[in-house]
Amino acid sequence: MEHQQVRVTARGIDQNVLVAGPVDGTPVLLIHGNCSSADFWRPLLRHLPPDLRLVAPDLRGYGASEAAPVDATRGLRDFADDVAALLDAPELFPAGAKPLVIAHSMGCGVAMQLLVDHPDRVQAMLLEAPLSPYGFGGTRDVEGTPTTDDFAGTGAGTANPDFVARLAAKDREGDAQTSPRTVMRTAYVADPASLGADEELLLDTVLSTVTGDDNYPGTSTPSPNWPGVAPGDRGVLNTMAPNHFRIADDLVAVPTKPHITWVRGDQDAIVSDTSFFDLSYLGSLGVVPGWPGAEASPPQPMIGQTRAVLQRYAERGGSFREVVYAGCGHSPHIERPAEFVAELVELLP
């Protein structure tokens, strides 16, 4: 499908937006995840029906959008508000558009916030490898009970500094364990061969990430609890820390409940009950020293949390469907495009 880039100024932010399909086509909004950009959706475009109106913004600090600061105390609302402002941009959508919302990873948290704040503007949602509605890290059980008051071990302080430095340097080499290419090959997908001819394009999206205290990863604060760091108030990783992002109850209580399809791979290294990005899980493996044990700092049951919240959502009048792909990692739309598109098309009005 042919696509173009459109510049839109909304909420005072200069946003770059990938668009494809006729303006009067069935509206579909695509929200990318962390360390990514709208171009991360481009491999999917070639599999989609031509009559869809596809709108995929670069979130602030990613792709070619403005590197505006991210206020983490608002959770993911800075991103969600930016995206909401695009719904009424006439060059993107027809008036009153109510799109199908497709989101990936962190972008799913943005989509959840969009639904909570604008329930009348979402037709349905497809959440791909979603961030837990209780945030990332720092919770005890499927009910999101906190282990510490400061949510130590979450937020920007958990980012690998060498990975951040390589992001800033636009490093394209693939030998180092912390290089963006290696991280993409090992964490974004289960089998790096699935990246295929799109690997350089997809690496470009990772390298588009703006680094610093106001963007990725953000700021951190010291903590008396293991591992000694707690979330700060600025930057991307702190937006997902449980003290800033806990949307479960708001999601369950939303008055208009569109259908949600939840798609994930059973080999996801990022969002799972055994995530290699969860310091408590790494501590339980002995990778991060000093882990105080499961009582004080248990691994986060991300899948169980999402399932429990969506079950509550269904009990309150909504509906959801969980789809699991065997042998698939964090990016089903790249690893299982045909199956992913089938789920997407099923949600079209």
Side-chain angles (χ1 to χ4, degrees):
M1 182 183 290
E2 300 255 343
H3 67 275
Q4 60 180 317
Q5 307 287 337
V6 175
R7 307 294 295 186
V8 179
T9 300
R11 297 189 67 240
I13 304 297
D14 184 26
Q15 300 187 56
N16 185 68
V17 186
L18 182 153
V19 297
V23 176
D24 60 352
T26 302
V28 178
L29 172 68
L30 301 111
I31 307 175
H32 69 79
N34 191 17
C35 294
S36 181
S37 76
D39 280 344
F40 204 72
W41 296 111
R42 279 178 52 189
L44 180 69
L45 299 190
R46 65 178 72 105
H47 299 282
L48 294 177
D51 59 343
L52 303 181
R53 177 58 170 180
L54 303 172
V55 173
D58 288 333
L59 300 177
R60 61 170 68 192
Y62 298 95
S65 284
E66 183 179 340
V70 178
D71 180 357
T73 65
R74 306 187 70 232
L76 289 164
R77 266 204 170 95
D78 274 356
F79 296 124
D81 288 351
D82 292 346
V83 171
L86 300 177
L87 295 178
D88 293 316
E91 61 268 54
L92 300 179
F93 288 119
K98 188 174 180 178
L100 165 62
V101 177
I102 314 295
H104 181 224
S105 194
M106 180 188 80
C108 295
V110 177
M112 293 176 204
Q113 191 67 64
L114 181 70
L115 174 60
V116 166
D117 293 340
H118 305 277
D120 58 333
R121 300 302 299 271
V122 176
Q123 186 265 323
M125 292 205 304
L126 196 163
L127 302 181
E128 177 189 14
L131 166 72
S132 165
Y134 292 108
F136 199 97
T139 51
R140 181 183 299 275
D141 55 26
V142 294
E143 300 302 326
T145 305
T147 56
T148 60
D149 291 337
D150 64 358
F151 294 97
T154 66
T158 67
N160 185 296
D162 193 54
F163 173 69
V164 176
R166 289 172 181 273
L167 268 184
K170 311 297 185 188
D171 176 15
R172 305 188 74 89
E173 69 100 351
D175 294 331
Q177 186 177 4
T178 55
S179 77
R181 186 186 297 274
T182 299
V183 171
M184 183 179 72
R185 286 175 172 174
T186 58
Y188 284 44
V189 292
D191 179 3
S194 65
L195 300 170
D198 293 313
E199 180 167 334
E200 299 307 316
L201 165 69
L202 297 174
L203 180 60
D204 285 341
T205 77
V206 180
L207 296 177
S208 77
T209 304
V210 174
T211 58
D213 286 349
D214 282 325
N215 297 101
Y216 182 91
T219 59
S220 64
T221 59
S223 168
N225 302 301
W226 181 88
V229 292
D233 290 341
R234 297 155 58 198
V236 174
L237 290 189
N238 298 316
T239 65
M240 294 176 278
N243 58 329
H244 297 316
F245 182 79
R246 293 173 68 82
I247 203 169
D249 291 342
D250 290 338
L251 187 66
V252 170
V254 73
T256 302
K257 291 182 170 65
H259 175 80
I260 297 174
T261 293
W262 167 26
V263 172
R264 64 182 182 89
D266 69 351
Q267 301 298 311
D268 194 331
I270 299 176
V271 176
S272 76
D273 292 348
T274 53
S275 169
F276 288 104
F277 289 75
D278 178 359
L279 285 194
S280 292
Y281 179 64
L282 294 178
S284 74
L285 298 178
V287 176
V288 180
W291 181 59
E295 181 62 29
S297 186
Q300 182 185 4
M302 302 180 193
I303 301 303
Q305 288 177 343
T306 296
R307 185 179 296 117
V309 171
L310 292 180
Q311 286 172 344
R312 289 170 53 203
Y313 181 87
E315 289 165 1
R316 294 283 294 272
S319 62
F320 83 97
R321 166 177 159 80
E322 179 180 357
V323 181
V324 185
Y325 299 133
C328 181
H330 190 60
S331 305
H333 78 273
I334 291 171
E335 301 173 80
R336 299 286 194 276
E339 294 97 322
F340 188 89
V341 168
E343 295 296 337
L344 188 159
V345 169
E346 190 70 24
L347 295 176
L348 294 172

